[in-house]
Amino acid sequence: MSSDETPASGGESLDAPRQSDDAPRNGLSGPAPEERPHPTGRRNSQGIRIDPEVEAEPKTRRTVLSTLVDHEPGVLAAVSGLFRRRQFNIESLTVGPTEDDDYARMTIVIEESDPGIEQAKKQLEKLVPVIAVTELDPDAIRRELALIKVDAEHPDKVQAVAEMYDGKAVDACSETVTVEITGSRQKVETAVEAFERFEIREIVRTGTTALERGARETADSTLADD
Amino acid sequence: MSERATPEATDESSAEQADGTADAPTETTATADQTPEERAADRPVTTGAESVIRALENAGAEAAFGVQGGAIMPVYDALYHSDSIRHVTMAHEQGAAHAADAYGVVAGVPGVCLATSGPGATNLVTGIADADMDSDAMLALTGQVPSDMVGSDAFQETDTTGVTAPITKHNYFADDPDTAGDMVGEAFALSEAGRPGPTLVDLPKNATLGETDREPGPATTPKNYNPETEATAEAVDAAARAIESADKPLLLFGGGVVKGDATETARQFAVDHGIPVATTMPAIGSMPEDHDLCLSWAGMHGTGYANMAITHTDCLIAVGCRFDDRLTGGVDTFAPEAEVVHVDIDPAEISKNVHADYPLIGDAGTVLEQVDAELAHSPDATEWREQCRQWKEDYPMDYATPEDEPLKPQFVVECLDAATGDDAIVTTGVGQHQMWAGQYWTFREPRTWVSSHGLGTMGYGLPAAIGARLAADDDQEVVCIDGDGSFLMTMQELSVAVREELDITVAVLNNEYIGMVRQWQDAFFERRRMAAEYNWVPEFDKLAEAFGARGWRVDEYDQVADAIEEAVAYDGPSVIDFHVDPETNVYPMVASGGANGQFALTEDQL
Ligand SMILES: Cc1ncc(C[n+]2csc(CCOP(=O)(O)OP(=O)(O)O)c2C)c(N)n1
């Protein structure tokens, strides 16, 4: 700073009593709203300055936030509470242990606009037990699992459909066959559709779990090392 | 610190100990200036509760506000032995939380509040939520049923960590006597680190009664809590270029300037570069309001000139603010011509509500110094400064005091300001009186405006005045400007002010209405004053006397000065019941979601 002077009281304008006999009785004096100059600029709902002519609603996209957290009670509640409270659009959330007993990894799929995704990441990072948040590459390995229980009327046909989707029958009895399908979300979805030709009794699906490809780290666990 | 209990003859008591003449350990006291090692030697920890109190002592806590009860009793019992922490028993836990919050605002260190489990903890909730919205450093300690009964719906069991999770920076369930003290220390440190906020430690009785000889370690933040303090060089460089080339630069100081102790740096930055300053409400006092460059606060009831400046600036340098909707009005029309430079220690605030063209993540003072060093020259803003000065003239905060109408509340605020020192502290409730206090008191110092901004909690004023009194210097006056409705919400705390002999002056701007609601009903609900009218309010001056405080009633202009003089001079709690004009409205006013530049000066402009 160039000057050492500490700014102190400067003008008198605000210091003097503002009581005045000319003032209006209930309200203040000054040019009315329509007499004031008004700028033409605008912002969109996300506070970004825009050309008023070409305003476009922000597009949403689906993405995966891999979140490394302290493995302790309450973290799942904190994360799900955060998403509820801030109204982030959450598609799925899976959680499980990692290579290190002290940490768990949450894989969160959200569908948001770009600013929404940024905000979700930053809010997650603010939670004290959250160690790192990474938005995964679009080509990351993503897997879901579904268990599909169908009527056992045509076990061979069920088996054939399962094979089409690299699935396998994991349980069978005289009444039902249960098939396990693993794969991308799309694959699991088409598999479920394919099984609809049989009488489906129950379906259970996990959310997406995902890992970066190659040597890339999924959620920077170096932070957790020290 | 005013009103602090003098630590009782510590030297003698430790000498007695050395002689072996001190009989019961209950006679031993600790003082604020002992080192942790001396405390440990003097009075070793034997239980979880003692380690909790030890952690508070080591962290430097000097005041705590609370209410006793079953599950917190062990902690209180340990507090019995501490002379470095002054405990104030409040009438209601909400009062304890607000007092702790205000103590923190004034002292610049976390305030501490205590409550028992169940209703004690739930009564704290409003105060915790209030601190959370205003990013105030505060630590709440709550008792809890023993861990083996948790989940059984035991007597006075509430899921306190569950209830408070969304309104705390972080909370803890401390169920181990060995680590309870460490958790308390961590919670204390965390609440004031980075962007401050309330933290809570829930203490089940088995942890506080349980034996341990572990002295808590130093209060440190969690190891993966590392907020950035310095902005990156590239970001600073880009922001500096934008500021240099601005024609109409405007600084917007937020609460972060005050909380980050960046007031001096921020003022100097404004003066050195000739940049006008608007503030948010929590930042009132960060820039002297009688300074040429100061436009006072912007937003819904901010000054016309601050709102004009925000509307027309081409470079808004926002420091430590979160672009709350009461400030921005409709985001579509907020600072619509401005490139936004946003300095904040919390990355999540960047582009949350208003997009930041130049985000600068770091500590307010540090980043302003970085930017200052990078600026090749100040922006050429002579015309703009002249324009801002012109707006001050065009939109004066003037008001009339016609003899044929009741006392004007603005006049009362100006008289109170005139009768007190420049560093007097003002606390408020929520409503019209709060706005008049903010508008008509000329604030010159940070940490002298203590109010409920983000949550807007009626009843904040009186308990806040109690907390502020304990943190203030002896010669600093503490004035609570309250509304009749707000005062009625927490007036039981007057009993505390009397008992503790606290010198505070409560000025009730009594309009026999919950006035702000009445104003909105008149403007937006065709004057249907449903549930806004108090057709009977108690006589606050007499109530004050019944509490053991002093009371005055004022109806006329010529009574104002004398009553204020006597109340301020009285060394104890006093209440002045000002019967003010019930029909006065707060202006300027930006309608919710409206454009700041379209502020109304009279009702028909809304
Ligand atoms: C706890 C709480 N309840 C309700 C409200 C809604 N509210 C906002 S201002 C207001 C009126 C406040 O009346 P008073 O304290 O008398 O102040 P005045 O506006 O008359 O100055 C009310 C009811 C609130 N802010 N806080």
Side-chain angles (χ1 to χ4, degrees), chain A residues 89-146:
Chain A
N89 227 335
I90 187 164
E91 297 255 322
S92 74
L93 188 161
T94 69
V95 55
T98 63
E99 68 281 4
D100 185 329
D101 286 348
D102 291 342
Y103 305 109
R105 201 186 299 280
M106 291 186 185
T107 306
I108 304 165
V109 183
I110 59 169
E111 180 152 358
E112 279 290 336
S113 62
D114 282 336
I117 292 166
E118 268 308 294
Q119 188 49 215
K121 276 165 71 175
K122 289 171 176 174
Q123 291 292 347
L124 275 171
E125 280 163 355
K126 263 175 84 162
L127 296 175
V128 172
V130 168
I131 289 153
V133 185
T134 312
E135 182 178 353
L136 296 192
D137 256 31
D139 77 337
I141 315 157
R142 305 174 189 212
R143 289 293 177 272
E144 259 187 44
L145 181 146

Side-chain angles (χ1 to χ4, degrees), chain A residues 3 5-6 8-9 11 14-15 18-20 25-30 36-37 43 47 49 119 122 126 131 226, chain B residues 224 264 268 289-291 332 334-336 338 346 348 355 395 398-399 401 405 414 444 583 585 597 599 601:
Chain A
S3 137
E5 252 175 81
T6 306
S9 310
L14 281 170
D15 212 359
R18 283 166 269 189
Q19 187 275 321
S20 132
R25 284 198 167 201
N26 203 353
L28 298 168
S29 50
R36 297 172 202 152
R43 292 179 188 273
R49 275 200 305 154
Q119 188 49 215
K122 289 171 176 174
K126 263 175 84 162
I131 289 153
D226 46 42
Chain B
N224 52 5
E264 283 310 316
Q268 201 70 57
E289 291 190 306
D290 51 358
H291 193 282
D332 55 331
F334 177 74
D346 180 358
H355 177 74
Y395 299 99
D398 56 352
Y399 63 94
T401 49
E405 283 183 21
E414 287 204 315
R444 294 173 178 85
E583 300 296 325
N585 288 339
F599 54 85
L601 298 169

Side-chain angles (χ1 to χ4, degrees), chain B residues 94 126 429-434 436 455-459 482-487 489 509 511-517 534:
Chain B
Q94 182 189 346
T126 301
V430 167
Q432 293 182 310
H433 64 278
Q434 175 188 31
W436 289 317
L455 197 66
T457 311
M458 286 171 72
D482 224 341
D484 44 313
S486 292
F487 187 54
M489 289 211 178
L509 303 186
N511 49 18
E512 303 191 9
Y513 272 111
I514 46 176
M516 188 58 98
V517 170
Y534 288 166

Side-chain angles (χ1 to χ4, degrees), chain B residues 383-460:
Chain B
E383 265 175 57
W384 169 246
R385 278 191 300 273
E386 177 50 28
Q387 173 65 78
C388 289
R389 201 199 50 73
Q390 184 62 45
W391 281 327
K392 280 197 195 182
E393 243 167 61
D394 293 347
Y395 299 99
M397 294 295 293
D398 56 352
Y399 63 94
T401 49
E403 287 298 326
D404 57 340
E405 283 183 21
L407 187 58
K408 295 292 173 185
Q410 301 96 315
F411 180 81
V412 174
V413 173
E414 287 204 315
C415 291
L416 282 161
D417 186 11
T420 49
D422 278 0
D423 61 351
I425 293 169
V426 176
T427 74
T428 75
V430 167
Q432 293 182 310
H433 64 278
Q434 175 188 31
M435 299 301 135
W436 289 317
Q439 291 174 335
Y440 291 94
W441 192 289
T442 305
F443 289 89
R444 294 173 178 85
E445 298 297 333
R447 304 188 184 281
T448 59
W449 164 255
V450 185
S451 193
S452 169
H453 312 101
L455 197 66
T457 311
M458 286 171 72
Y460 179 81

